[in-house]
Amino acid sequence: MKRAIDETNRRRKIQSAYNKEHGIIPKTIVKEVKNTIGITGKKTSADDIKLKDIPAEIEKLKALMKVASAQLDFEKAIEIRDTISQLKKKLLKSKKQ
């Protein structure tokens, strides 16, 4: 732990000297914060799919969800997961009738 802290201090000293020599004043970056909670509340197209096409659509969506998560696009994976859930509910509801 001490070695890591010493290395950080060494690098900080070098960076501070460089900034002072070149007249650089560090400032904090400002980024927009995404509303990831709002993503799960979006309307999906599960209502547009016919009952006979639901099983095939679920399989396609599962593959897309795996691709999205592999690409670290978790917001898209959440949307796809929710659509799959809605399709499964629709399928179960139709079987009960």
Side-chain angles (χ1 to χ4, degrees):
M1 188 61 127
K2 179 165 177 24
R3 195 173 85 192
I5 293 170
D6 290 342
E7 178 64 15
T8 301
N9 289 334
R10 182 189 73 81
R11 291 180 183 188
R12 184 176 292 131
K13 186 177 177 182
I14 293 169
Q15 187 67 54
S16 295
Y18 179 87
N19 290 350
K20 189 173 185 177
E21 180 182 330
H22 293 91
I24 297 172
I25 300 172
K27 64 180 187 176
T28 304
I29 61 168
V30 179
K31 283 188 168 183
E32 176 186 346
V33 178
K34 291 182 181 181
N35 181 6
T36 56
I37 295 173
I39 291 172
T40 59
K42 288 185 178 178
K43 178 75 173 140
T44 59
S45 61
D47 298 328
D48 301 336
I49 299 172
K50 295 177 184 174
L51 286 176
K52 65 177 183 153
D53 298 332
I54 289 179
E57 187 66 23
I58 288 174
E59 291 305 312
K60 281 194 273 184
L61 289 172
K62 283 181 181 179
L64 287 174
M65 186 172 62
K66 285 181 183 180
V67 170
S69 64
Q71 294 176 347
L72 305 179
D73 188 359
F74 300 115
E75 289 85 7
K76 185 67 177 170
I78 290 169
E79 289 178 26
I80 295 170
R81 179 203 61 199
D82 292 344
T83 303
I84 291 171
S85 177
Q86 288 177 354
L87 288 171
K88 285 181 178 179
K89 285 179 185 176
K90 184 177 178 180
L91 194 60
L92 286 173
K93 193 176 186 181
S94 71
K95 287 182 179 181
K96 288 182 181 179
Q97 293 177 353

